[in-house]
Amino acid sequence: MSRFRIAAFVLMMSALGFLAGVVAGRHIELGQVDDKLHGHNARLLAHALRVTQEGQRLMAAATHGAGLCSDSDVATLRVLLFNSLFIRDIGRTLGGTLQCSAAWGELPEPVPLPPPAFTLASGLQLWVGAANIVDRRIIGDMSAYRDVVVFTAPGAFDGFPEPGSGIDAKIVTRDGQHVYRRFGRTHDLDLGRDASIGWGLAPERQAWACAPDEQTDLCVVSRARSDAWFQLPAMVLSVAGALALAFLAGLCVLWRLHAGSAKTELRRAILGGEIKVHYQPLRQLATRRLTGYEALARWRARGRDVSPSLFVPLAEAMGLGRALSRQVTSQALRDLHERLRENPALYVSINVSAADLKDAGYRNFLMDVVSERGLSPANVALEITEGTPLSDGHVLAMVKTMRGKGFKVFIDDFGTGHSNLNYLAEMQADAIKLDRSFTRAIGAEDAGTLIVDHVIDISRELGINLIIEGIETEEQASYLLSRQPSAVGQGWLLGRPVPLENIASD
Ligand code: C2E
Ligand code: MG
Ligand code: MG
């Protein structure tokens, strides 16, 4: 990775984090706007209901007054007016003319009412923002029912919309056809629209609600705009997002660099012959007599041992699997050839992959080294893991070929793959090596012990030798011995993998 690419990658990730933060912040900001808008809308509806109910209450109380516009009638109207909060005047009509009111008393001349702005189904007539019929200098709302007319106080909705809230609103009939009152710019404000207009982050938010009882023909619709994209939540989140993703990108780069350098080091180790081989004894369980050694690759990088479970697959992925197998094979035979010649019944067991088996180059190399060292193929066992596709016809054929030449073949890590017993029978391997995860379960878990018993039965049925991996305790050894007296074992109890200079000779 060049410096330029690293910088571009980190920058791109920070930009992504920044954008994600802006979007998340915007979401929070709009959530807050929605809360404010819904709160405002609910308060405006509640207030509109109070104003309406007061008007209705006054009309109901004034309806049956005795002696139209008599002194006592006007006095009654005045008492009602005095006790009201949102009504400025209350009057009596006759034949479409105003006769008297609490504020003006009995008029010298009846004043005709103008045509109403609209009439509700209940018969209530309404005038909106109309000039007062007695004195045109006074502008206000008016509603009339039967012979009573009430004038709403111009300040009945003072405080709406709340100052500085930037909210437009209007109070309308349920069908949205008639408007009782407007606050701000409302010509394009409709009932029943969703809270967000357009896509989720659009600046326009709307809320609406209607009176809970169906008889009251009243709804409120409000709108707020939020054009400011970079409010506090977006600011904080975008900076945090940019930093977080830049940090992640940095980690990624470090990891890539590290992995890159690990690969370089492994390549150097394999091609430079730095891989060491340790040997772990395999013994007859009954007599503890040595039957062979397993060759296990060892790599020490930067002062630490790296597990072969990590570097072997990595080497294979890098196309270095064959080089590794050749190195381990030649080193094992170089290290052990004298012991194997002295004791021809002993063998060295080498882990190989399906690719090795299929590779004529590796097979020829193996046979050459065996004969150069004056050994017989029976001194070598090839371990293929059960994870290898044993159903692969080519692998099966190669197993047969190698066995035909006198090499032993073991199925490694048995129980962890998905062997088909038919293939196993056809392959005629010399031994199966029961994976150590099952040995560990002996005595501890019933299911594990059951599997061990089952594998022992399979090996008997197929006439295949059994090697048990991972024997660490005497209890495990004696259990296995009782179940299969001819089994061979491998494990800490019988000997750890050690370098050549420390290996046991018997
Ligand atoms: P494996 O072939 O099943 O080798 C046995 C593993 O079990 C070894 O791990 C060994 O150290 C470990 N072991 C043996 N006895 C005990 C025991 O009693 N308890 C426990 N807990 N572990 C025990 P190691 O050396 O870490 O090797 C891991 C695997 O790496 C091997 O499993 C084998 O699949 C692979 N490997 C090692 N060397 C080579 C190699 O040269 N070529 C290939 N292709 N694979 C290799
Ligand atoms: Mg093995
Ligand atoms: Mg194994």
Side-chain angles (χ1 to χ4, degrees):
M1 250 189 174
S2 72
R3 275 185 194 177
F4 175 74
R5 282 181 61 191
I6 292 173
F9 177 61
V10 173
L11 249 166
M12 200 187 72
M13 292 293 276
S14 342
L16 270 180
F18 185 81
L19 274 181
V22 170
V23 170
R26 176 72 179 156
H27 223 80
I28 295 176
E29 152 78 4
L30 288 182
Q32 289 171 351
V33 170
D34 276 344
D35 287 350
K36 193 169 87 175
L37 188 66
H38 280 96
H40 174 273
N41 204 60
R43 281 192 295 280
L44 181 56
L45 177 65
H47 188 77
L49 282 171
R50 284 176 67 202
V51 175
T52 310
Q53 279 159 5
E54 191 175 274
Q56 286 170 349
R57 190 170 50 75
L58 251 64
M59 282 177 171
T63 299
H64 300 296
L68 185 93
C69 292
S70 63
D71 284 350
S72 75
D73 187 30
V74 171
T76 309
L77 295 181
R78 283 186 178 140
V79 171
L80 288 174
L81 183 64
F82 195 76
N83 286 321
S84 76
L85 210 57
F86 308 115
I87 303 302
R88 182 52 58 83
D89 197 6
I90 175 165
R92 289 215 182 274
T93 59
L94 184 68
T97 58
L98 180 68
Q99 302 283 322
C100 61
S101 84
W104 303 104
E106 188 172 4
L107 300 177
E109 289 270 310
V111 180
L113 298 175
F118 57 95
T119 306
L120 297 182
S122 61
L124 189 77
Q125 294 179 306
L126 289 126
W127 292 262
V128 178
N132 187 284
I133 51 177
V134 181
D135 186 333
R136 300 194 63 77
R137 288 171 301 174
I138 305 169
I139 305 290
D141 298 346
M142 191 169 85
S143 49
Y145 187 68
R146 295 198 179 141
D147 67 342
V148 184
V149 59
V150 296
F151 300 79
T152 311
F157 285 91
D158 275 0
F160 285 99
E162 284 142 21
S165 64
I167 293 176
D168 300 321
K170 64 181 178 183
I171 306 171
V172 290
T173 51
R174 277 179 191 273
D175 58 7
Q177 295 298 310
H178 303 293
V179 181
Y180 297 111
R181 195 169 275 253
R182 297 176 188 276
F183 307 90
R185 244 189 63 238
T186 58
H187 62 279
D188 54 349
L189 200 52
D190 294 325
L191 270 182
R193 278 219 262 158
D194 274 354
S196 62
I197 310 297
W199 60 294
L201 298 174
E204 195 168 298
R205 321 293 287 182
Q206 221 167 279
W208 63 278
C210 294
D213 69 305
E214 289 290 323
Q215 272 72 48
T216 309
D217 194 0
L218 186 110
C219 295
V220 172
V221 49
S222 309
R223 175 190 41 214
R225 292 186 63 81
S226 171
D227 293 314
W229 266 73
F230 217 53
Q231 297 291 338
L232 194 64
M235 229 147 66
V236 172
L237 284 177
S238 51
V239 172
L243 286 177
L245 280 204
F247 179 69
L248 267 182
L251 281 185
C252 228
V253 168
L254 279 181
W255 179 78
R256 278 288 299 272
L257 289 176
H258 181 76
S261 71
K263 278 186 183 172
T264 313
E265 283 180 36
L266 180 58
R267 182 181 303 277
R268 208 176 39 222
I270 292 176
L271 300 180
E274 289 169 27
I275 302 292
K276 301 263 173 305
V277 183
H278 284 191
Y279 303 96
Q280 185 175 26
L282 290 106
R283 296 179 184 280
Q284 277 293 334
L285 265 190
T287 58
R288 306 275 161 109
R289 201 169 50 80
L290 187 70
T291 61
Y293 304 96
E294 177 168 4
L296 293 162
R298 292 291 177 261
W299 179 37
R300 208 170 160 75
R302 297 182 204 177
R304 291 168 67 176
D305 289 325
V306 182
S307 163
S309 315
L310 291 176
F311 75 78
V312 171
L314 184 60
E316 282 171 358
M318 289 165 63
L320 293 172
R322 290 176 200 184
L324 177 67
S325 296
R326 284 179 186 224
Q327 224 182 88
V328 172
T329 304
S330 65
Q331 194 178 327
L333 294 181
R334 186 173 62 235
D335 285 349
L336 298 180
H337 70 277
E338 282 172 3
R339 289 166 197 267
L340 298 176
R341 268 209 306 258
E342 275 166 26
N343 183 354
L346 273 186
Y347 55 85
V348 58
S349 194
I350 298 171
N351 294 284
V352 291
S353 66
D356 292 326
L357 274 185
K358 289 193 214 172
D359 176 18
Y362 175 76
R363 295 196 305 270
N364 293 334
F365 167 83
L366 175 64
M367 286 184 289
D368 288 349
V369 186
V370 166
S371 69
E372 273 166 25
R373 296 287 175 194
L375 297 169
S376 128
N379 291 128
V380 177
L382 300 173
E383 292 194 10
I384 50 170
T385 64
E386 204 206 359
T388 315
L390 297 182
S391 54
D392 178 337
H394 200 170
V395 174
L396 211 64
M398 286 311 117
V399 168
K400 284 184 182 165
T401 307
M402 296 313 272
R403 287 202 71 234
K405 293 187 187 301
F407 291 96
K408 295 179 172 49
V409 175
F410 297 165
I411 309 295
D412 201 0
D413 304 333
F414 190 79
T416 56
H418 8 254
S419 301
N420 178 319
L421 287 184
N422 292 334
Y423 295 125
L424 249 158
E426 196 183 332
M427 189 175 274
Q428 287 292 309
D430 295 84
I432 49 183
K433 294 184 77 178
L434 177 67
D435 189 70
R436 66 175 187 272
S437 55
F438 302 110
T439 315
R440 199 180 310 135
I442 291 175
E445 284 170 41
D446 286 351
T449 315
L450 264 178
I451 292 173
V452 173
D453 289 348
H454 183 60
V455 173
I456 290 173
D457 293 341
I458 292 177
S459 69
R460 250 193 229 129
E461 254 167 57
L462 297 177
I464 295 182
N465 293 317
L466 186 65
I467 301 173
I468 318 275
E469 296 183 326
I471 301 178
E472 294 181 354
T473 65
E474 286 293 353
E475 289 75 28
Q476 291 165 343
S478 60
Y479 177 82
L480 292 162
L481 191 59
S482 69
R483 292 287 289 113
Q484 180 61 308
S486 66
V488 168
Q490 182 181 354
W492 298 166
L493 182 72
L494 308 171
R496 296 204 174 225
V498 286
L500 176 70
E501 49 277 22
N502 298 341
I503 62 175
S505 322
D506 53 8

